[in-house]
Amino acid sequence: MSHKHTAVEEARSDIREHAQATVGDLGTLAQEVSGGNELRDMLIRAAKQTATLDSSIKEAQQSLTVSQSAAVRLSQKVDNINEQWKSLPKTIDVVRVASADM
């Protein structure tokens, strides 16, 4: 073989090796990109779950506000009933006096 022929064969061999390495790199890149899509999908799912959680927290806060308002109203009603119970002996005395006068 001539020196030129050997140099051409070596160049072809180098090109094949580089092409194979490039194909391998592209395959790795494709896997990483695919993994990137998986990561992106995971992040999208996490964002949706976060939005759902935020919504649940807001609903819980609204329920808590309603519960607190109901507790305040209930406390006021209990106070009113207690006041009525306190005045009950006076009412009974008035009824007794009125009954005795009849």
Side-chain angles (χ1 to χ4, degrees), residues 41-95:
D41 293 344
M42 286 174 35
L43 291 173
I44 289 170
R45 284 193 302 274
K48 288 178 182 178
Q49 290 172 349
T50 300
T52 300
L53 182 59
D54 286 343
S55 176
S56 295
I57 289 171
K58 286 178 185 177
E59 287 175 16
Q61 288 172 333
Q62 290 171 348
S63 294
L64 181 59
T65 300
V66 168
S67 296
Q68 288 171 334
S69 296
V72 168
R73 288 192 307 274
L74 181 59
S75 176
Q76 290 170 343
K77 287 181 181 182
V78 167
D79 289 345
N80 288 340
I81 291 171
N82 284 336
E83 287 302 315
Q84 290 173 359
W85 277 105
K86 287 178 185 177
S87 66
L88 187 59
K90 292 177 188 174
T91 304
I92 291 172
D93 288 342
V94 170
V95 170

Short mmCIF file of all heavy atoms in Angstrom, two decimals, residues 41-95:
data_model
loop_
_atom_site.label_atom_id
_atom_site.label_comp_id
_atom_site.label_asym_id
_atom_site.label_seq_id
_atom_site.Cartn_x
_atom_site.Cartn_y
_atom_site.Cartn_z
N ASP A 41 -41.95 17.33 33.21
CA ASP A 41 -43.26 16.77 33.56
C ASP A 41 -43.44 16.68 35.07
O ASP A 41 -44.51 16.97 35.59
CB ASP A 41 -43.46 15.39 32.91
CG ASP A 41 -43.56 15.46 31.40
OD1 ASP A 41 -43.78 16.57 30.86
OD2 ASP A 41 -43.41 14.40 30.76
N MET A 42 -42.37 16.28 35.76
CA MET A 42 -42.44 16.22 37.22
C MET A 42 -42.66 17.60 37.81
O MET A 42 -43.45 17.78 38.74
CB MET A 42 -41.16 15.60 37.79
CG MET A 42 -41.07 14.11 37.60
SD MET A 42 -39.49 13.34 38.10
CE MET A 42 -38.97 14.26 39.50
N LEU A 43 -41.97 18.60 37.25
CA LEU A 43 -42.14 19.97 37.74
C LEU A 43 -43.55 20.48 37.47
O LEU A 43 -44.14 21.17 38.30
CB LEU A 43 -41.10 20.89 37.10
CG LEU A 43 -39.66 20.66 37.54
CD1 LEU A 43 -38.70 21.51 36.71
CD2 LEU A 43 -39.50 20.96 39.02
N ILE A 44 -44.10 20.12 36.31
CA ILE A 44 -45.48 20.52 35.99
C ILE A 44 -46.44 19.88 36.98
O ILE A 44 -47.34 20.54 37.50
CB ILE A 44 -45.83 20.16 34.53
CG1 ILE A 44 -45.07 21.07 33.57
CG2 ILE A 44 -47.34 20.24 34.29
CD1 ILE A 44 -45.15 20.65 32.11
N ARG A 45 -46.23 18.57 37.25
CA ARG A 45 -47.10 17.89 38.22
C ARG A 45 -46.96 18.53 39.60
O ARG A 45 -47.95 18.73 40.31
CB ARG A 45 -46.77 16.40 38.28
CG ARG A 45 -47.30 15.61 37.10
CD ARG A 45 -47.23 14.10 37.34
NE ARG A 45 -45.90 13.60 37.62
CZ ARG A 45 -45.00 13.25 36.72
NH1 ARG A 45 -45.28 13.34 35.44
NH2 ARG A 45 -43.82 12.78 37.09
N ALA A 46 -45.74 18.86 39.98
CA ALA A 46 -45.51 19.49 41.28
C ALA A 46 -46.20 20.85 41.34
O ALA A 46 -46.79 21.22 42.36
CB ALA A 46 -44.01 19.64 41.55
N ALA A 47 -46.15 21.61 40.25
CA ALA A 47 -46.81 22.92 40.20
C ALA A 47 -48.33 22.75 40.34
O ALA A 47 -48.98 23.51 41.06
CB ALA A 47 -46.47 23.65 38.90
N LYS A 48 -48.88 21.74 39.66
CA LYS A 48 -50.32 21.49 39.76
C LYS A 48 -50.70 21.07 41.18
O LYS A 48 -51.71 21.52 41.72
CB LYS A 48 -50.76 20.40 38.77
CG LYS A 48 -50.76 20.86 37.33
CD LYS A 48 -51.15 19.73 36.39
CE LYS A 48 -51.12 20.19 34.94
NZ LYS A 48 -51.45 19.08 34.02
N GLN A 49 -49.87 20.22 41.79
CA GLN A 49 -50.14 19.81 43.16
C GLN A 49 -50.04 20.98 44.11
O GLN A 49 -50.82 21.11 45.06
CB GLN A 49 -49.18 18.68 43.56
CG GLN A 49 -49.46 17.38 42.86
CD GLN A 49 -48.40 16.32 43.13
OE1 GLN A 49 -47.34 16.61 43.67
NE2 GLN A 49 -48.68 15.10 42.71
N THR A 50 -49.07 21.87 43.84
CA THR A 50 -48.93 23.07 44.67
C THR A 50 -50.16 23.96 44.54
O THR A 50 -50.67 24.48 45.53
CB THR A 50 -47.66 23.85 44.27
OG1 THR A 50 -46.54 23.00 44.45
CG2 THR A 50 -47.49 25.10 45.09
N ALA A 51 -50.67 24.10 43.31
CA ALA A 51 -51.87 24.90 43.09
C ALA A 51 -53.06 24.28 43.81
O ALA A 51 -53.86 24.99 44.44
CB ALA A 51 -52.16 25.03 41.60
N THR A 52 -53.17 22.96 43.75
CA THR A 52 -54.25 22.27 44.45
C THR A 52 -54.11 22.47 45.95
O THR A 52 -55.10 22.73 46.65
CB THR A 52 -54.23 20.76 44.11
OG1 THR A 52 -54.40 20.61 42.70
CG2 THR A 52 -55.32 20.01 44.84
N LEU A 53 -52.89 22.36 46.45
CA LEU A 53 -52.64 22.56 47.88
C LEU A 53 -52.98 24.00 48.27
O LEU A 53 -53.62 24.22 49.31
CB LEU A 53 -51.19 22.24 48.21
CG LEU A 53 -50.78 22.36 49.67
CD1 LEU A 53 -51.63 21.44 50.55
CD2 LEU A 53 -49.31 22.01 49.83
N ASP A 54 -52.58 24.97 47.46
CA ASP A 54 -52.90 26.37 47.74
C ASP A 54 -54.42 26.56 47.80
O ASP A 54 -54.93 27.26 48.68
CB ASP A 54 -52.31 27.29 46.67
CG ASP A 54 -50.81 27.46 46.80
OD1 ASP A 54 -50.25 27.13 47.87
OD2 ASP A 54 -50.18 27.91 45.83
N SER A 55 -55.12 25.95 46.87
CA SER A 55 -56.58 26.05 46.85
C SER A 55 -57.17 25.43 48.11
O SER A 55 -58.08 26.00 48.72
CB SER A 55 -57.13 25.34 45.60
OG SER A 55 -58.53 25.35 45.61
N SER A 56 -56.65 24.28 48.52
CA SER A 56 -57.13 23.63 49.74
C SER A 56 -56.86 24.49 50.97
O SER A 56 -57.70 24.58 51.87
CB SER A 56 -56.46 22.26 49.91
OG SER A 56 -56.84 21.40 48.87
N ILE A 57 -55.71 25.13 51.00
CA ILE A 57 -55.37 26.01 52.12
C ILE A 57 -56.34 27.19 52.16
O ILE A 57 -56.83 27.56 53.23
CB ILE A 57 -53.90 26.48 52.03
CG1 ILE A 57 -52.96 25.30 52.32
CG2 ILE A 57 -53.64 27.65 52.97
CD1 ILE A 57 -51.50 25.60 52.03
N LYS A 58 -56.63 27.78 50.99
CA LYS A 58 -57.58 28.90 50.95
C LYS A 58 -58.96 28.46 51.43
O LYS A 58 -59.62 29.18 52.19
CB LYS A 58 -57.66 29.47 49.54
CG LYS A 58 -56.44 30.27 49.15
CD LYS A 58 -56.53 30.79 47.74
CE LYS A 58 -55.24 31.49 47.34
NZ LYS A 58 -55.26 31.94 45.96
N GLU A 59 -59.41 27.28 51.00
CA GLU A 59 -60.71 26.76 51.44
C GLU A 59 -60.70 26.56 52.95
O GLU A 59 -61.68 26.88 53.63
CB GLU A 59 -61.02 25.45 50.73
CG GLU A 59 -61.39 25.61 49.27
CD GLU A 59 -61.60 24.27 48.57
OE1 GLU A 59 -61.74 23.24 49.26
OE2 GLU A 59 -61.61 24.27 47.33
N ALA A 60 -59.60 26.01 53.47
CA ALA A 60 -59.50 25.79 54.91
C ALA A 60 -59.53 27.12 55.67
O ALA A 60 -60.18 27.23 56.71
CB ALA A 60 -58.22 25.02 55.24
N GLN A 61 -58.85 28.13 55.13
CA GLN A 61 -58.85 29.45 55.76
C GLN A 61 -60.26 30.05 55.76
O GLN A 61 -60.69 30.64 56.75
CB GLN A 61 -57.88 30.39 55.05
CG GLN A 61 -56.43 30.06 55.32
CD GLN A 61 -55.47 30.87 54.47
OE1 GLN A 61 -55.80 31.31 53.37
NE2 GLN A 61 -54.26 31.05 54.97
N GLN A 62 -60.98 29.88 54.63
CA GLN A 62 -62.35 30.39 54.56
C GLN A 62 -63.24 29.65 55.56
O GLN A 62 -64.06 30.27 56.25
CB GLN A 62 -62.90 30.25 53.15
CG GLN A 62 -62.27 31.18 52.16
CD GLN A 62 -62.66 30.90 50.72
OE1 GLN A 62 -63.25 29.88 50.41
NE2 GLN A 62 -62.34 31.82 49.82
N SER A 63 -63.08 28.34 55.66
CA SER A 63 -63.85 27.56 56.61
C SER A 63 -63.55 27.99 58.03
O SER A 63 -64.44 28.09 58.87
CB SER A 63 -63.56 26.06 56.45
OG SER A 63 -64.01 25.60 55.21
N LEU A 64 -62.27 28.26 58.29
CA LEU A 64 -61.87 28.71 59.62
C LEU A 64 -62.50 30.06 59.93
O LEU A 64 -63.01 30.27 61.04
CB LEU A 64 -60.35 28.80 59.71
CG LEU A 64 -59.77 29.24 61.05
CD1 LEU A 64 -60.20 28.27 62.14
CD2 LEU A 64 -58.26 29.31 60.97
N THR A 65 -62.53 30.95 58.96
CA THR A 65 -63.15 32.26 59.16
C THR A 65 -64.64 32.10 59.45
O THR A 65 -65.17 32.73 60.37
CB THR A 65 -62.95 33.14 57.91
OG1 THR A 65 -61.54 33.31 57.70
CG2 THR A 65 -63.60 34.50 58.07
N VAL A 66 -65.31 31.23 58.69
CA VAL A 66 -66.73 30.97 58.92
C VAL A 66 -66.93 30.37 60.30
O VAL A 66 -67.83 30.76 61.05
CB VAL A 66 -67.31 30.04 57.82
CG1 VAL A 66 -68.68 29.53 58.18
CG2 VAL A 66 -67.34 30.78 56.48
N SER A 67 -66.06 29.41 60.67
CA SER A 67 -66.15 28.78 61.99
C SER A 67 -65.93 29.79 63.11
O SER A 67 -66.61 29.75 64.13
CB SER A 67 -65.13 27.64 62.10
OG SER A 67 -65.42 26.62 61.18
N GLN A 68 -64.97 30.69 62.90
CA GLN A 68 -64.72 31.71 63.92
C GLN A 68 -65.92 32.63 64.06
O GLN A 68 -66.32 32.99 65.17
CB GLN A 68 -63.47 32.51 63.56
CG GLN A 68 -62.19 31.74 63.74
CD GLN A 68 -60.97 32.46 63.19
OE1 GLN A 68 -61.07 33.28 62.29
NE2 GLN A 68 -59.80 32.14 63.72
N SER A 69 -66.53 33.00 62.93
CA SER A 69 -67.73 33.85 62.98
C SER A 69 -68.86 33.13 63.69
O SER A 69 -69.57 33.72 64.51
CB SER A 69 -68.17 34.23 61.57
OG SER A 69 -67.18 35.01 60.94
N ALA A 70 -69.03 31.85 63.38
CA ALA A 70 -70.07 31.06 64.03
C ALA A 70 -69.79 30.95 65.53
O ALA A 70 -70.72 31.03 66.35
CB ALA A 70 -70.16 29.67 63.40
N ALA A 71 -68.53 30.80 65.91
CA ALA A 71 -68.17 30.71 67.32
C ALA A 71 -68.49 32.02 68.05
O ALA A 71 -68.99 32.00 69.18
CB ALA A 71 -66.69 30.36 67.47
N VAL A 72 -68.24 33.14 67.38
CA VAL A 72 -68.55 34.44 67.99
C VAL A 72 -70.06 34.58 68.19
O VAL A 72 -70.52 34.99 69.26
CB VAL A 72 -67.99 35.60 67.13
CG1 VAL A 72 -68.55 36.93 67.56
CG2 VAL A 72 -66.47 35.60 67.18
N ARG A 73 -70.84 34.20 67.15
CA ARG A 73 -72.31 34.27 67.26
C ARG A 73 -72.81 33.34 68.36
O ARG A 73 -73.69 33.70 69.15
CB ARG A 73 -72.96 33.94 65.93
CG ARG A 73 -72.80 35.03 64.88
CD ARG A 73 -73.70 34.81 63.66
NE ARG A 73 -73.57 33.50 63.05
CZ ARG A 73 -72.66 33.15 62.13
NH1 ARG A 73 -71.79 34.05 61.73
NH2 ARG A 73 -72.63 31.94 61.62
N LEU A 74 -72.25 32.14 68.43
CA LEU A 74 -72.65 31.19 69.46
C LEU A 74 -72.33 31.73 70.85
O LEU A 74 -73.15 31.64 71.77
CB LEU A 74 -71.95 29.85 69.23
CG LEU A 74 -72.28 28.73 70.22
CD1 LEU A 74 -73.77 28.43 70.19
CD2 LEU A 74 -71.47 27.49 69.91
N SER A 75 -71.17 32.33 70.99
CA SER A 75 -70.78 32.93 72.27
C SER A 75 -71.75 34.03 72.67
O SER A 75 -72.15 34.14 73.84
CB SER A 75 -69.36 33.47 72.17
OG SER A 75 -68.99 34.13 73.36
N GLN A 76 -72.16 34.84 71.70
CA GLN A 76 -73.12 35.91 71.98
C GLN A 76 -74.47 35.32 72.42
O GLN A 76 -75.11 35.82 73.34
CB GLN A 76 -73.30 36.80 70.76
CG GLN A 76 -72.07 37.64 70.45
CD GLN A 76 -72.15 38.34 69.10
OE1 GLN A 76 -72.95 37.99 68.24
NE2 GLN A 76 -71.29 39.33 68.90
N LYS A 77 -74.90 34.25 71.75
CA LYS A 77 -76.17 33.62 72.12
C LYS A 77 -76.08 33.02 73.53
O LYS A 77 -77.02 33.13 74.31
CB LYS A 77 -76.54 32.53 71.11
CG LYS A 77 -77.00 33.09 69.79
CD LYS A 77 -77.40 32.00 68.82
CE LYS A 77 -77.85 32.61 67.49
NZ LYS A 77 -78.28 31.61 66.53
N VAL A 78 -74.95 32.40 73.85
CA VAL A 78 -74.75 31.85 75.19
C VAL A 78 -74.80 32.97 76.22
O VAL A 78 -75.43 32.83 77.28
CB VAL A 78 -73.42 31.06 75.27
CG1 VAL A 78 -73.05 30.75 76.71
CG2 VAL A 78 -73.50 29.79 74.45
N ASP A 79 -74.16 34.11 75.92
CA ASP A 79 -74.20 35.25 76.83
C ASP A 79 -75.64 35.73 77.02
O ASP A 79 -76.06 36.04 78.15
CB ASP A 79 -73.33 36.40 76.30
CG ASP A 79 -71.84 36.11 76.41
OD1 ASP A 79 -71.46 35.16 77.13
OD2 ASP A 79 -71.05 36.83 75.74
N ASN A 80 -76.42 35.79 75.94
CA ASN A 80 -77.82 36.20 76.04
C ASN A 80 -78.62 35.22 76.91
O ASN A 80 -79.44 35.64 77.74
CB ASN A 80 -78.46 36.30 74.65
CG ASN A 80 -77.97 37.50 73.88
OD1 ASN A 80 -77.44 38.46 74.45
ND2 ASN A 80 -78.10 37.46 72.56
N ILE A 81 -78.40 33.93 76.69
CA ILE A 81 -79.10 32.92 77.51
C ILE A 81 -78.70 33.05 78.97
O ILE A 81 -79.56 32.98 79.86
CB ILE A 81 -78.80 31.51 76.96
CG1 ILE A 81 -79.47 31.32 75.60
CG2 ILE A 81 -79.24 30.43 77.94
CD1 ILE A 81 -79.07 30.05 74.87
N ASN A 82 -77.42 33.26 79.21
CA ASN A 82 -76.97 33.45 80.60
C ASN A 82 -77.63 34.66 81.24
O ASN A 82 -78.02 34.61 82.42
CB ASN A 82 -75.44 33.57 80.66
CG ASN A 82 -74.74 32.24 80.49
OD1 ASN A 82 -75.31 31.19 80.76
ND2 ASN A 82 -73.50 32.27 80.02
N GLU A 83 -77.75 35.74 80.48
CA GLU A 83 -78.44 36.93 81.02
C GLU A 83 -79.90 36.62 81.31
O GLU A 83 -80.44 37.06 82.32
CB GLU A 83 -78.32 38.10 80.02
CG GLU A 83 -76.94 38.72 79.95
CD GLU A 83 -76.44 39.24 81.29
OE1 GLU A 83 -77.22 39.91 82.01
OE2 GLU A 83 -75.28 38.96 81.63
N GLN A 84 -80.53 35.85 80.42
CA GLN A 84 -81.93 35.47 80.66
C GLN A 84 -82.05 34.60 81.90
O GLN A 84 -82.99 34.76 82.69
CB GLN A 84 -82.50 34.73 79.43
CG GLN A 84 -82.69 35.64 78.24
CD GLN A 84 -83.10 34.88 76.98
OE1 GLN A 84 -83.22 33.66 77.00
NE2 GLN A 84 -83.28 35.61 75.89
N TRP A 85 -81.10 33.68 82.08
CA TRP A 85 -81.13 32.84 83.28
C TRP A 85 -80.94 33.69 84.54
O TRP A 85 -81.55 33.40 85.58
CB TRP A 85 -80.04 31.76 83.22
CG TRP A 85 -80.44 30.55 82.43
CD1 TRP A 85 -80.03 30.22 81.20
CD2 TRP A 85 -81.35 29.53 82.84
NE1 TRP A 85 -80.62 29.06 80.79
CE2 TRP A 85 -81.44 28.60 81.79
CE3 TRP A 85 -82.11 29.31 83.99
CZ2 TRP A 85 -82.23 27.48 81.85
CZ3 TRP A 85 -82.90 28.18 84.05
CH2 TRP A 85 -82.97 27.27 82.98
N LYS A 86 -80.10 34.69 84.47
CA LYS A 86 -79.87 35.56 85.62
C LYS A 86 -81.15 36.33 85.99
O LYS A 86 -81.42 36.57 87.15
CB LYS A 86 -78.74 36.57 85.34
CG LYS A 86 -77.37 35.95 85.34
CD LYS A 86 -76.30 37.00 85.01
CE LYS A 86 -74.94 36.39 84.89
NZ LYS A 86 -73.92 37.37 84.50
N SER A 87 -81.92 36.71 84.98
CA SER A 87 -83.13 37.49 85.25
C SER A 87 -84.32 36.58 85.58
O SER A 87 -85.37 37.08 86.00
CB SER A 87 -83.46 38.39 84.07
OG SER A 87 -83.81 37.61 82.94
N LEU A 88 -84.16 35.28 85.41
CA LEU A 88 -85.27 34.35 85.66
C LEU A 88 -85.79 34.41 87.10
O LEU A 88 -87.02 34.47 87.30
CB LEU A 88 -84.86 32.92 85.29
CG LEU A 88 -85.95 31.86 85.34
CD1 LEU A 88 -87.09 32.22 84.39
CD2 LEU A 88 -85.38 30.50 85.00
N PRO A 89 -84.94 34.44 88.14
CA PRO A 89 -85.47 34.53 89.52
C PRO A 89 -86.33 35.78 89.72
O PRO A 89 -87.36 35.72 90.40
CB PRO A 89 -84.22 34.56 90.39
CG PRO A 89 -83.16 33.88 89.57
CD PRO A 89 -83.49 34.23 88.16
N LYS A 90 -85.94 36.90 89.13
CA LYS A 90 -86.74 38.12 89.27
C LYS A 90 -88.09 37.92 88.60
O LYS A 90 -89.12 38.34 89.13
CB LYS A 90 -86.01 39.31 88.64
CG LYS A 90 -84.75 39.72 89.37
CD LYS A 90 -84.04 40.85 88.64
CE LYS A 90 -82.69 41.12 89.27
NZ LYS A 90 -81.91 42.10 88.53
N THR A 91 -88.09 37.29 87.43
CA THR A 91 -89.33 37.04 86.72
C THR A 91 -90.23 36.12 87.54
O THR A 91 -91.45 36.34 87.63
CB THR A 91 -89.04 36.40 85.34
OG1 THR A 91 -88.16 37.27 84.62
CG2 THR A 91 -90.31 36.19 84.55
N ILE A 92 -89.62 35.09 88.16
CA ILE A 92 -90.40 34.17 88.99
C ILE A 92 -91.00 34.92 90.18
O ILE A 92 -92.17 34.72 90.53
CB ILE A 92 -89.52 32.98 89.45
CG1 ILE A 92 -89.17 32.10 88.26
CG2 ILE A 92 -90.22 32.17 90.54
CD1 ILE A 92 -88.15 31.02 88.56
N ASP A 93 -90.21 35.80 90.80
CA ASP A 93 -90.73 36.59 91.93
C ASP A 93 -91.89 37.46 91.48
O ASP A 93 -92.90 37.59 92.20
CB ASP A 93 -89.61 37.46 92.54
CG ASP A 93 -88.60 36.63 93.31
OD1 ASP A 93 -88.91 35.48 93.67
OD2 ASP A 93 -87.47 37.14 93.53
N VAL A 94 -91.81 38.08 90.32
CA VAL A 94 -92.89 38.92 89.81
C VAL A 94 -94.14 38.08 89.59
O VAL A 94 -95.26 38.48 89.96
CB VAL A 94 -92.47 39.63 88.50
CG1 VAL A 94 -93.65 40.30 87.82
CG2 VAL A 94 -91.37 40.67 88.79
N VAL A 95 -93.96 36.87 89.04
CA VAL A 95 -95.10 35.98 88.80
C VAL A 95 -95.70 35.56 90.15
O VAL A 95 -96.94 35.53 90.30
CB VAL A 95 -94.66 34.74 87.97
CG1 VAL A 95 -95.77 33.71 87.94
CG2 VAL A 95 -94.27 35.16 86.56
#
